Amino acid sequence: MIADSMVSLVKNSSVIRAMFEEGNRLAKLYGAENVYDFSLGNPNVPAPAEVNEAVKDIVDNEESTFIHGYMSNAGYEDVRQTIAESLNRRFGTHFNHTNIVMTVGAAGGLNTIFKTLLNPGEEVMTFAPFFGEYRNYVSNFGGKLVVVSPNTVDFQPKLDEFEAKITPKTRAVIVNNPNNPTGVVYSEDTIKKMAAIMDKKQKEYGTEIYLIADEPYRELAYDGVDVPYLTKYYDNTIVGYSYSKSLSLPGERIGYLVIPDEVTDSEDVKSAASVATRILGFVNAPSLMQRVVAKCVDAQVNLEAYDKNRKAIYEGLTKLGFECVKPEGAFYLFVKSPVEDETVFCEAAKKHNILMVPASSFGCPGYVRIAYCVSYDTIVNSLPHFAEVAKEMGL
Amino acid sequence: MIADSMVSLVKNSSVIRAMFEEGNRLAKLYGAENVYDFSLGNPNVPAPAEVNEAVKDIVDNEESTFIHGYMSNAGYEDVRQTIAESLNRRFGTHFNHTNIVMTVGAAGGLNTIFKTLLNPGEEVMTFAPFFGEYRNYVSNFGGKLVVVSPNTVDFQPKLDEFEAKITPKTRAVIVNNPNNPTGVVYSEDTIKKMAAIMDKKQKEYGTEIYLIADEPYRELAYDGVDVPYLTKYYDNTIVGYSYSKSLSLPGERIGYLVIPDEVTDSEDVKSAASVATRILGFVNAPSLMQRVVAKCVDAQVNLEAYDKNRKAIYEGLTKLGFECVKPEGAFYLFVKSPVEDETVFCEAAKKHNILMVPASSFGCPGYVRIAYCVSYDTIVNSLPHFAEVAKEMGL
């Protein structure tokens, strides 16, 4: 008796989440140290010490009804101002608290902004491979996700196909940079070209096309690579951010939206986002965590741990003959399946207690995603098992 | 360029929230002690000491990646089991962790359950006066809110009209007990009759009609009044709970749904609720607060403070000639406007820096809501100003 729209969703529930549960099951069965669970982007690096210090400092020194109470739906004004100023220092922007709406993670932020912008039947574009949940977030509001096919050479977006697929119904474009699931960082050159295409199409159709920068992995970038801040390249840009990865707080559901003054009808978009966060049932981002992130605005997780993992898994797997693009950001490695159907590869690996996500769920069949936000030992110990899988796959 | 559906929502944004902002503005202008802001249900009683002790204990003694990390979308299994057992002890129920889905407050819970159950065009019933946000929560999923008109004698629901308005499209009925905005508690007799009507109508139409018990005020009951636990009276009952009031944590967005095994297709409903909480962008209830409420399962705010306020405001206003039903629960007083148009009453009061919410937004024109979750001094100091308003209104 559940809603019709939920029936298939329950049946095909998130592949990633199903694997997370499967990983827990196998860990109970074989011992956690004998399971190589690369399925979920659940950070293994602890939150920086500043986080727990801030938690204790706040509950000891600020008033209970303030730190646990309601505030404006968009969040505490001082928290939003602190975040705006931090962005200004780092990216040369000129935001203030009115440009920031605190959200229940990036997922909450994306739902809020789609509620704000989307009319039923309108289109949202993204580039494969992409985070599969976009499909649900867009369809929650009657929108249609239009996917640009993957460029499997270097996983930069295919801009010709992008331009060809923009229609008068295109309302928004999601760019996830650094990218989940590939770990690739879209270059400044790519972003400039993309912005030029969108500007041209806005004029051609007389529409507003919003660029949604989904940036939970912004701070996870390696080898000194530059991750362009998109508001600087295209006026109609809205940023969705999360502290899930930068402060290792995925369970806390804390993030924000940036709605710059340059966005068309900026005042309306800000007001509507604030109303949307209320009526969707978020009401506001968790209050204590808002205050915590403001105190930790310059804190960062131990990136070196991820970087060490990145090198170990990339080198380990390429040495075994697996083909993969070297990731410059996030904590994912995107590996070409040695056989056409990547679920066969995943099943073979699972027999060795290795869990990976088939990339069909990211719109890119023939590949798998490895989330290397696990302990270094897990990676090192998984390699002999990967070697056996490689042998079985004829590598 | 915002979505069409958001245009009127932004224009008529929550009356209550607008007053919250207005209250802050007046406080800056005249000093907080000279503003009598009864607009928002934002608890003034601090969280019990156990809450902050639990927060510190958890961050000091549990692992960072565990307390701030992802867990199953429905929440930590041990937290859910602790809550289930607490309910069993208090209400003689027989729940376990599988019956509990942790949610981002009651608002998040209601959106989750409507996403789970509602097909577009289906009807959800409720009893006026009612929390105005129900209208948005239902329309988020294409549902239609059907309102049973208020019984202004004692504000128990009108059961004849209820029965007459149930149709084959009725999918759910929301009962908010103790009630916001009246403070009235629906009696066991009322609930039994309501259950009998719903049972009869389910058989008559061959449909499933879910009873949604929205219970953020359950623990705020006075004079020893009994608040019936609805799962015991009707099988297809789903409970939405929040710790916003019982632990004074409204900003933290922490609550849960109870989906009993007796609900038709219970397994499907549980799975769908878990998926719904994920795809709506909540993902999971805030992790640290999940662990905190489990440690505070027997803690409670200082109810005596609210009770003292209740008596002071009720006696103060009735003595001045205002007509109001004596509240037995929640922290609201529902006052009949001395003039037909209650917005005139509210505007007159505002000139004396008294903020109250016109009850048209609760589907009950001619009344106002006073949220007495303020300091005792605010109540005492407001009374001379209420006296002036009473005089102006000809009382």
Side-chain angles (χ1 to χ4, degrees):
Chain A
M1 286 306 293
I2 58 175
D4 298 340
S5 64
M6 292 302 295
V7 174
S8 66
L9 281 165
V10 168
K11 205 182 282 172
N12 310 314
S13 182
S14 166
V15 178
I16 302 175
R17 281 287 169 170
M19 299 205 86
F20 177 61
E21 311 280 352
E22 175 71 3
N24 286 339
R25 197 185 65 82
L26 291 177
K28 273 183 198 163
L29 215 60
Y30 301 107
E33 71 284 8
N34 298 314
V35 177
Y36 313 102
D37 184 351
F38 299 106
S39 62
L40 190 67
N42 197 11
N44 73 305
V45 173
E50 291 97 319
V51 165
N52 286 352
E53 288 313 312
V55 167
K56 289 191 278 183
D57 185 46
I58 292 165
V59 301
D60 275 341
N61 296 306
E62 297 193 52
E63 225 179 304
S64 174
T65 53
F66 176 67
I67 60 178
H68 302 305
Y70 284 132
M71 78 304 300
S72 299
N73 297 125
Y76 293 104
E77 199 173 303
D78 63 329
V79 169
R80 291 149 68 205
Q81 186 65 27
T82 300
I83 290 170
E85 287 169 11
S86 158
L87 293 174
N88 295 345
R89 275 196 304 278
R90 291 155 62 208
F91 306 115
T93 48
H94 49 277
F95 304 129
N96 63 47
H97 75 272
T98 67
N99 300 111
I100 309 288
V101 176
M102 301 303 296
T103 61
V104 171
L110 289 178
N111 275 277
T112 295
I113 206 64
F114 289 141
K115 175 81 175 173
T116 298
L117 296 177
L118 271 188
N119 293 301
E122 290 181 337
E123 295 167 357
V124 175
M125 294 182 73
T126 199
F127 303 91
F130 63 95
F131 181 46
E133 291 288 276
Y134 292 161
R135 205 173 282 286
N136 294 319
Y137 301 165
V138 169
S139 92
N140 281 339
F141 308 101
K144 190 188 151 198
L145 192 72
V146 174
V147 177
V148 177
S149 67
N151 154 15
T152 53
V153 178
D154 59 7
F155 290 100
Q156 294 283 322
K158 280 188 184 168
L159 295 180
D160 289 349
E161 184 179 330
F162 172 55
E163 181 165 359
K165 281 186 169 170
I166 297 177
T167 77
K169 288 195 158 184
T170 304
R171 187 71 162 147
V173 175
I174 314 174
V175 165
N176 180 209
N177 201 29
N179 184 261
N180 173 11
T182 63
V184 162
V185 175
Y186 295 173
S187 66
E188 186 179 40
D189 183 54
T190 297
I191 298 301
K192 281 184 175 165
K193 284 181 184 152
M194 195 182 283
I197 292 168
M198 292 174 69
D199 266 328
K200 186 179 128 191
K201 287 290 176 177
Q202 284 194 134
K203 282 192 195 108
E204 182 181 334
Y205 295 134
T207 55
E208 304 289 336
I209 306 174
Y210 293 91
L211 179 61
I212 315 285
D214 179 26
E215 303 205 334
Y217 301 101
R218 160 161 292 281
E219 275 77 24
L220 275 57
Y222 313 102
D223 300 335
V225 68
D226 182 54
V227 183
Y229 203 76
L230 300 197
T231 63
K232 299 198 292 187
Y233 301 88
Y234 181 74
D235 280 352
N236 270 340
T237 297
I238 293 166
V239 180
Y241 185 80
S242 164
Y243 291 94
S244 294
K245 279 73 187 186
S246 61
L247 294 180
S248 282
L249 300 174
E252 302 296 358
R253 316 308 305 133
I254 182 75
Y256 60 80
L257 290 170
V258 184
I259 304 171
D261 291 338
E262 288 75 9
V263 163
T264 305
D265 294 334
S266 179
E267 287 311 310
D268 279 352
V269 176
K270 290 175 195 171
S271 303
S274 176
V275 170
T277 208
R278 194 191 85 224
I279 67 180
L280 291 175
F282 301 112
V283 182
N284 53 251
S287 52
L288 175 60
M289 280 299 146
Q290 286 193 42
R291 307 214 63 76
V292 168
V293 297
K295 272 186 175 276
C296 298
V297 78
D298 294 319
Q300 205 169 41
V301 290
N302 178 7
L303 260 190
E304 280 167 32
Y306 290 134
D307 198 12
K308 191 174 161 197
N309 284 359
R310 175 180 72 116
K311 286 171 181 152
I313 188 87
Y314 176 74
E315 282 162 24
L317 292 195
T318 47
K319 229 176 253 173
L320 291 172
F322 290 103
E323 220 178 284
C324 34
V325 59
K326 187 167 186 183
E328 291 187 297
F331 41 46
Y332 302 112
L333 183 70
F334 206 57
V335 184
K336 190 170 182 184
S337 169
V339 291
E340 200 186 331
D341 180 352
E342 87 271 16
T343 62
V344 173
F345 176 34
C346 288
E347 280 307 310
K350 205 166 122 187
K351 290 202 179 108
H352 297 271
N353 283 350
I354 297 172
L355 298 180
M356 312 179 296
V357 181
S360 290
S361 57
F362 300 104
C364 190
Y367 287 78
V368 303
R369 187 191 78 172
I370 287 177
Y372 59 77
C373 47
V374 297
S375 77
Y376 184 69
D377 284 352
T378 298
I379 291 177
V380 172
N381 295 335
S382 73
L383 291 175
H385 300 277
F386 269 114
E388 288 174 53
V389 179
K391 217 184 293 168
E392 289 171 26
M393 295 275 116
L395 287 183
Chain B
M1 287 306 294
I2 59 175
D4 298 340
S5 64
M6 292 303 293
V7 174
S8 65
L9 281 166
V10 168
K11 206 183 280 172
N12 311 314
S13 183
S14 165
V15 179
I16 303 174
R17 281 287 169 167
M19 300 203 86
F20 177 62
E21 310 280 350
E22 176 71 4
N24 286 339
R25 197 185 65 82
L26 291 176
K28 273 183 199 164
L29 215 60
Y30 300 108
E33 70 284 7
N34 298 312
V35 177
Y36 313 103
D37 185 352
F38 299 106
S39 61
L40 190 67
N42 196 12
N44 73 305
V45 174
E50 291 97 319
V51 165
N52 286 352
E53 288 313 313
V55 168
K56 288 191 279 182
D57 185 46
I58 292 165
V59 300
D60 275 342
N61 296 307
E62 296 192 53
E63 225 178 307
S64 173
T65 53
F66 176 66
I67 60 178
H68 302 303
Y70 284 131
M71 80 299 304
S72 297
N73 297 128
Y76 292 103
E77 199 173 302
D78 63 329
V79 169
R80 291 149 67 204
Q81 185 65 29
T82 300
I83 290 170
E85 286 169 11
S86 159
L87 294 173
N88 295 345
R89 277 196 305 277
R90 292 154 63 207
F91 307 114
T93 48
H94 50 278
F95 305 129
N96 64 46
H97 75 272
T98 68
N99 300 111
I100 310 288
V101 176
M102 301 304 295
T103 61
V104 171
L110 290 177
N111 276 277
T112 295
I113 205 64
F114 289 140
K115 175 81 176 175
T116 297
L117 296 176
L118 272 187
N119 292 301
E122 289 182 337
E123 294 168 356
V124 176
M125 294 183 73
T126 198
F127 303 92
F130 63 95
F131 180 47
E133 291 287 277
Y134 291 161
R135 205 174 283 287
N136 294 319
Y137 301 164
V138 169
S139 92
N140 282 341
F141 308 102
K144 190 187 152 199
L145 191 72
V146 174
V147 177
V148 177
S149 67
N151 154 16
T152 54
V153 178
D154 59 7
F155 291 99
Q156 293 284 323
K158 280 187 182 167
L159 295 180
D160 289 349
E161 185 179 328
F162 172 56
E163 182 165 359
K165 282 187 168 169
I166 297 177
T167 77
K169 287 194 159 185
T170 304
R171 188 72 162 144
V173 176
I174 314 175
V175 165
N176 180 210
N177 200 30
N179 184 261
N180 172 11
T182 64
V184 162
V185 174
Y186 295 173
S187 67
E188 185 180 41
D189 183 54
T190 297
I191 298 299
K192 280 183 175 164
K193 284 181 184 151
M194 196 181 282
I197 292 168
M198 291 174 69
D199 267 329
K200 187 178 126 191
K201 287 289 177 179
Q202 284 194 135
K203 280 190 199 113
E204 184 181 333
Y205 295 133
T207 55
E208 304 290 336
I209 307 175
Y210 293 91
L211 179 61
I212 315 285
D214 179 27
E215 305 205 332
Y217 302 101
R218 159 159 292 282
E219 275 76 24
L220 275 56
Y222 314 102
D223 300 335
V225 68
D226 181 55
V227 183
Y229 204 77
L230 300 197
T231 62
K232 299 199 291 189
Y233 301 89
Y234 182 74
D235 280 352
N236 269 341
T237 298
I238 292 165
V239 180
Y241 185 80
S242 163
Y243 291 95
S244 293
K245 278 73 185 184
S246 61
L247 294 181
S248 281
L249 301 174
E252 302 297 357
R253 317 308 305 131
I254 181 76
Y256 59 81
L257 290 170
V258 184
I259 303 170
D261 290 340
E262 289 75 9
V263 163
T264 305
D265 294 333
S266 179
E267 288 309 311
D268 279 352
V269 176
K270 291 174 196 171
S271 302
S274 176
V275 170
T277 208
R278 193 191 85 222
I279 68 179
L280 291 175
F282 302 112
V283 181
N284 54 251
S287 52
L288 175 61
M289 281 299 145
Q290 287 193 42
R291 306 214 63 76
V292 168
V293 298
K295 272 186 175 275
C296 297
V297 79
D298 294 319
Q300 205 170 42
V301 290
N302 177 6
L303 259 191
E304 281 167 32
Y306 289 134
D307 199 11
K308 191 173 160 197
N309 284 0
R310 175 179 74 114
K311 286 171 180 152
I313 188 88
Y314 176 74
E315 281 161 24
L317 292 194
T318 46
K319 226 175 255 174
L320 292 172
F322 290 103
E323 219 177 282
C324 34
V325 59
K326 188 168 185 183
E328 291 186 299
F331 41 45
Y332 302 112
L333 184 70
F334 207 58
V335 184
K336 189 170 181 184
S337 169
V339 291
E340 199 186 332
D341 180 351
E342 86 272 16
T343 61
V344 173
F345 177 35
C346 288
E347 281 305 311
K350 204 166 122 186
K351 290 200 180 107
H352 297 269
N353 284 350
I354 296 172
L355 298 181
M356 310 178 299
V357 181
S360 290
S361 57
F362 301 105
C364 190
Y367 288 78
V368 303
R369 186 191 80 172
I370 287 177
Y372 59 77
C373 48
V374 297
S375 78
Y376 184 69
D377 284 352
T378 298
I379 291 177
V380 171
N381 295 335
S382 74
L383 291 176
H385 299 277
F386 269 114
E388 289 175 51
V389 179
K391 216 184 293 168
E392 290 170 24
M393 297 273 115
L395 289 184

